Amino acid sequence: MGSLAGNTPDLGGPESGLASDGAPSLDLVALLCAFGKTLLFLLPVYLVGYLGLSVCLVVFGLLVYMGWQATREGKAKRLLSALDVLQNEEAVTTKSIYLSKKELPAWITFSDVEKVEWLNKIITQMWPFIGKYLEKLLMETIAPTIRASNNHLQTFFFTKVQLGEKPLKVVGVKAHTEMDKRQIILDLHLSFVGDTEINVEIKRYFCKAGVKGIQLHGMLRVILEPLIGDMPLVGAVTIFFIRRPVLDINWTGVTNLLDIPGLNAFTDTKIMDTIAAFLVLPNRLTIPLVENLHVSQLRSPLPRGIIRIYLIEAENLESKDSYGIFKGKSDPYAILRVGTQTFTSKTIEESLNPKWNELYEIFVHEVPGQELEIEIFDKDPDSDDFLGRSVVHDPLPPLQKRCLNEWFFLKEVGTGRVHLRLEWLSLMTNTSKLDQILQDNQVIFSQTKKEPSAAILAVYLDRAQDLPLKKGNKEPNPMVQLAVKEKPRESKTCYNTNSPVWEDAYFFYIQNPKTQELKIQVKDDDRQTSLGSLTLPLCRLLNSEDLTLDQWFQLDQSGSGSRIYLKVVLRVKCADSSLALNPLTVPDDETPRKPKSGTEKDQDKQTKCAEAVAMLPPKPTKSSADKCFGREGVVRIYLKEAENLIAKDNFMKGLVKGKSDPYAVVKLTGKSFRSKVIKENLNPQWNEIYEFIVNDIPGQEVEFQLFDKDVDKDDFLGRCKISLTHIISSKTIDKWYPLEDVKSGRLHIRLEWLPPTPSATDLEEVLLVNTVTPVQNSEELSAAILAIYLDRAQELPLKKGNKSPSPSAEISVRDVSYKTKTCSQTNSPIWEEAFNFLIKNPTQEKLEILIKDNGRNTLGSLSLPLAPLLTADDLTMDQWFTMDNSGPSSQVLLKLQLGVITALHGFTYTSSHNHSVSPGSYCPEMPVWDGYTPQHSTDVAQSELRQRLSHTQSKSDLCDSPFGQIRLTVSHSSEEKKLYIVVHSCRKLKACSKDGSSPYVSLILLPDKNRVTKKKTPVVKSLNPEYNLQFDYDMDLGTAQKRKLEVSVKNSVSFMSRDKELIGKVHIDLSLVDLSQGITQW
């Protein structure tokens, strides 16, 4: 009894009393809720009976409810199962290791997919903050936008936004770096099984809805391109799904209705279609990271190729149209998909072995990754029955070598297979095979009754300018309709502007580019008001360079200044000649055969071995260098001087001001040069020249940093940056730049863009001028660029024991060398790497290649003089070269391309003897000016210049003048009716006394009796003075061409001085100068 009493609860305490009082009330509420639910379920039954409706409605309602309940439970189970797999991946993987590959993670299924747990840890750490950002975005940005979009949604609110505790997981990452050297491709295998909860409410209508739980599984491709030599190293990031991801959503509130069977499949499809319209190929999301990028071309690049699909037939399909014991047939049709491109065949009635013989063409945007999916259905009045599916994974590698003509078994059904022929069509930039392609297409048309295309057309719609206004001078809302034969494509609408920017891209199949036209209509958004039109015959592209037009086009039926900017690209399709077969032929190997004897099997084995050897890829005759190879140019930088620099070497805490010991650091494309140090000078003069090999990838900058040289840490004196795009577009820049991040100082620099020319006609001239150009920090300027593409080597010698080596190559010209990657364990390595060298004199220099095993033992060498390149077509060699000190058959495949850095030159100089010299004449006692002739110079002027230079006997004839040289720019502006003369600088002036000279420049336009046109520069005490002053004269072009410019360099002397005043003089006949284009010369 004591024990029992000790365990008896105290019923008299206050807590127990509360519990006992509250229990009946809680039970009563639960009972009332259960009763209410029962009445709610019985209400439809009562209404059916009360209204005298059919009992079928009750049965139908019960079936809908049961289906809805089953869908909800299935989604909940899938969510719980996915969460369990995500949390216990290792255990589930171990348990499933012998199951199908579908159930294993990507990093186990594919050996080249890497597991990135470090990235998942970062995402896990950041996930709560990503959730806060999403909540802020939805509530503060998206919700107000939704409320403003419609009067019925004015009470729309997000009542709950919770991203959940389960973060996105990157199951694996695969990197592709072999496709293009200027891009990086990453495939991210994503898995998101989240307890996300987002609830919305429209208070006016007492409507609540939401999402509770989301699953998303798919492969996201991330492309980093173009790679650039400056921060952030990547020009843009492009993301997209190659295939549609798998999406599963658990709905709440009113959206629970979306889980009704039939309706749930429809809504899930619509949601996936919305996602696909933005993020599934060919749609991409491109985020530019630098300025001046062609975003539309990154968002919609040219396809890698075309797959031509012949849907021939199917056999042994399942019978779906059965009636009890009577077996019927099916009415099959096929759906083919690659990404978002979908095609549906015709329906063959009552056949289990349908023959379609249809042709389809599909763009291939990404290699590797895209899949071809074929689904076959039985056409029915209500819901079409499923007859099977087949997927061709990554068909492109084999297609690029041969044509696939095979039967593919249908999956997820008991029987059936489909016969396809797949052809890979590459895209050419020339029309050499166009006529043959058009003839072949006529043969295909006769068999398939569908005319195949011969080319594709890409139209990059950029922008328009000065479109006509609407009535009342209102701004239009322009959109564009583009058509080639078929239904027009429409661009987005740009609102309230007559200078819209679209940046869209469109692709068209072209049957015959000789006869078809591209028609463009610019309209207001009402589709009725025309703002302009353009008709572009595609035959214009056939005669253009690279089959491309990239320019402004004048609009017809529009304003006088209305124009549209387009880039139109044509690419001709080309199939391998070995694929020229009857496309509708059934392969012989599909016919039934009787069992073979042992002898026959041995013969088959030998035949297959012979076929395997025959199918080995043939030895390439040319390298695989892409079209971007050899497009680099040279930026030549003249570091002249600086002034008003900050004094850093102060003493006694700044009471005694000192100076600085400045030097400059020049950076571009990841390389840097450092100038000499000028001791104790706030206005240093360096006069140094640097050369950089660059490409035209946007986002690059030339950076100059100035420092004061100290014993310990160098002090910062300022910096300035110039965009490489600006240098390339300007060709030449010569100006003072203010220094940034400091109080005072500016830098005088000259920058020149020198694109290479594939011609050796100007080489002699370039070499001669380079030898006389004074360069303080270099022996001689470069005359050319050598681009090298090291493709592969073949049959290198083996190591001891007949083991394969691991070759790498070292390529060098003079003292500059580069090393390739190492190819592991092969005597036929494939490098596919490009290198560039600056060449001083291609007639004397050599290219050296040394191939080693793991950087140690030599496997072969090659020494190539560059002189033979000067006589090759386009200064290019693309061939196999036999190796020295190697095996008897050891060869290396190279593409060598030489580009001459052409510099054209113009008129010369006169001395105090007052000789008159014009462009095209030559005075042997005077130095030739080594500046640049403008690009408009005629061939006659160039030949005259070469003749003048060839007559020069020695270097001293050009530069050893007793009087010096002056640099001028002369030009005329027709709009302003002004003649401009810029006095840049003088060099190597003659000293007028033991203290040197104090020169200034005087200008006069002759004839001028009253000397009213006389102008002069300030005095600069130096034998190499810099002026950089501009003078202008008000006169039209005709008057200017009747004048002669007299330029005198004089020494400033006092009234009583006996020092000589005149140093030298130049007379320039302006009638012989193209003033409209301008000229800058020494």
Side-chain angles (χ1 to χ4, degrees), residues 31 219 396 527 625 667 778 873 968 1073:
L31 181 63
M219 186 178 73
L396 304 181
R527 303 319 192 259
K667 297 181 179 179
S778 176
D873 292 340
L968 301 174
V1073 178

Side-chain angles (χ1 to χ4, degrees), residues 29-247:
V29 171
L31 181 63
L32 289 174
C33 289
F35 182 70
K37 287 183 179 179
T38 304
L39 288 178
L40 190 62
F41 284 127
L42 292 175
L43 181 61
V45 181
Y46 170 76
L47 290 176
V48 169
Y50 179 78
L51 298 175
L53 302 177
S54 172
V55 182
C56 295
L57 289 176
V58 179
V59 176
F60 177 73
L62 287 174
L63 291 175
V64 169
Y65 174 75
M66 293 170 63
W68 173 81
Q69 189 70 21
T71 302
R72 296 285 298 170
E73 291 177 356
K75 283 190 174 183
K77 288 180 179 179
R78 287 197 299 272
L79 183 62
L80 291 174
S81 175
L83 283 171
D84 180 63
V85 171
L86 204 61
Q87 292 174 350
N88 305 287
E89 182 181 2
E90 186 175 348
V92 173
T93 302
T94 304
K95 183 179 178 181
S96 310
I97 198 68
Y98 297 109
L99 301 181
S100 69
K101 289 186 177 180
K102 266 190 173 181
E103 302 177 25
L104 300 180
W107 54 270
I108 292 180
T109 309
F110 311 107
S111 58
D112 51 356
V113 176
E114 301 176 14
K115 190 176 181 181
V116 283
E117 282 304 314
W118 61 271
L119 181 58
N120 290 320
K121 291 178 181 178
I122 294 174
I123 296 175
T124 302
Q125 195 77 4
M126 295 176 61
W127 194 249
F129 302 96
I130 296 174
K132 290 179 181 179
Y133 170 75
L134 178 64
E135 181 180 2
K136 186 178 179 180
L137 178 68
L138 292 176
M139 290 189 171
E140 297 182 6
T141 304
I142 295 179
T145 304
I146 295 175
R147 288 195 290 269
S149 64
N150 194 295
N151 291 331
H152 297 287
L153 299 176
Q154 289 180 352
T155 56
F156 177 91
F157 292 93
F158 285 97
T159 57
K160 186 175 184 180
V161 177
Q162 186 175 345
L163 197 54
E165 297 180 357
K166 307 297 181 184
L168 174 75
K169 186 168 185 179
V170 181
V171 180
V173 175
K174 180 178 180 180
H176 304 274
T177 57
E178 67 278 2
M179 303 306 300
D180 190 337
K181 301 300 181 183
R182 296 191 180 189
Q183 66 176 200
I184 297 174
I185 300 176
L186 301 175
D187 287 339
L188 308 183
H189 298 264
L190 304 181
S191 181
F192 178 51
V193 185
D195 49 349
T196 303
E197 189 170 358
I198 301 176
N199 295 329
V200 300
E201 181 179 1
I202 305 176
K203 294 184 178 180
R204 176 185 294 179
Y205 303 106
F206 305 100
C207 178
K208 295 183 178 181
V211 172
K212 189 173 183 180
I214 298 176
Q215 285 194 65
L216 179 68
H217 308 278
M219 186 178 73
L220 183 72
R221 174 157 290 183
V222 180
I223 299 181
L224 310 176
E225 70 169 336
L227 301 180
I228 59 179
D230 289 305
M231 297 303 293
L233 302 180
V234 176
V237 178
T238 302
I239 60 175
F240 54 89
F241 287 99
I242 291 182
R243 297 177 289 277
R244 288 177 173 237
V246 178
L247 179 67

Side-chain angles (χ1 to χ4, degrees), residues 554-796:
Q554 189 70 33
L555 288 172
D556 300 325
Q557 303 173 2
S558 188
S560 58
S562 300
R563 56 182 187 164
I564 188 169
Y565 194 90
L566 301 173
K567 181 177 181 181
V568 188
V569 182
L570 186 72
R571 290 293 180 263
V572 178
K573 299 179 182 178
C574 178
D576 193 349
S577 59
S578 63
L579 307 181
L581 307 170
N582 186 342
L584 305 180
T585 301
V586 180
D588 294 334
D589 57 359
E590 297 300 332
T591 55
R593 295 185 178 93
K594 63 180 181 179
K596 298 181 180 180
S597 64
T599 306
E600 289 175 328
K601 287 181 179 178
D602 292 341
Q603 292 175 351
D604 280 353
K605 210 176 273 186
Q606 294 175 1
T607 303
K608 287 182 179 179
C609 289
E611 289 176 351
V613 172
M615 290 185 66
L616 285 175
K619 177 181 176 180
T621 58
K622 301 290 184 182
S623 69
S624 59
D626 59 22
K627 62 181 181 180
C628 296
F629 171 74
R631 289 192 175 182
E632 290 78 7
V634 172
V635 170
R636 186 173 287 166
I637 300 173
Y638 298 79
L639 177 65
K640 294 189 173 182
E641 58 183 326
E643 67 177 21
N644 297 330
L645 299 182
I646 296 175
K648 289 291 186 178
D649 297 340
N650 297 324
F651 305 97
M652 299 179 64
K653 297 184 178 180
L655 294 177
V656 179
K657 295 228 170 188
K659 295 188 178 182
S660 293
D661 305 323
Y663 68 91
V665 176
V666 187
K667 297 181 179 179
L668 177 61
T669 63
K671 296 182 179 179
S672 64
F673 292 99
R674 175 172 165 170
S675 75
K676 64 184 178 183
V677 178
I678 307 296
K679 294 287 187 178
E680 298 183 359
N681 199 326
L682 299 182
N683 301 290
Q685 292 186 353
W686 291 284
N687 294 320
E688 296 184 358
I689 302 178
Y690 310 101
E691 294 175 325
F692 292 86
I693 299 176
V694 299
N695 49 40
D696 58 355
I697 296 176
Q700 302 182 82
E701 290 180 324
V702 184
E703 182 178 8
F704 298 86
Q705 292 181 329
L706 271 62
F707 296 92
D708 167 39
K709 183 65 177 176
D710 283 331
V711 178
D712 48 1
K713 183 179 179 182
D714 297 345
D715 298 315
F716 180 69
L717 296 178
R719 68 163 55 89
C720 68
K721 296 180 180 180
I722 301 100
S723 168
L724 180 59
T725 305
H726 178 53
I727 299 172
I728 294 175
S729 60
S730 302
K731 309 298 183 189
T732 301
I733 300 174
D734 191 339
K735 62 185 293 187
W736 288 88
Y737 285 90
L739 295 175
E740 301 173 359
D741 303 330
V742 288
K743 293 181 179 180
S744 69
R746 61 177 187 161
L747 182 65
H748 184 198
I749 50 180
R750 174 184 173 88
L751 305 108
E752 296 175 348
W753 165 246
L754 306 175
T757 303
S759 171
T761 56
D762 297 321
L763 178 61
E764 182 182 359
E765 167 192 328
V766 172
L767 291 173
L768 188 57
V769 171
N770 286 354
T771 58
V772 301
T773 302
V775 183
Q776 296 189 16
N777 60 315
S778 176
E779 296 178 359
E780 197 173 313
L781 295 178
S782 300
I785 302 177
L786 176 64
I788 302 170
Y789 189 83
L790 178 59
D791 193 301
R792 65 189 68 201
Q794 204 166 56
E795 298 186 31
L796 296 178

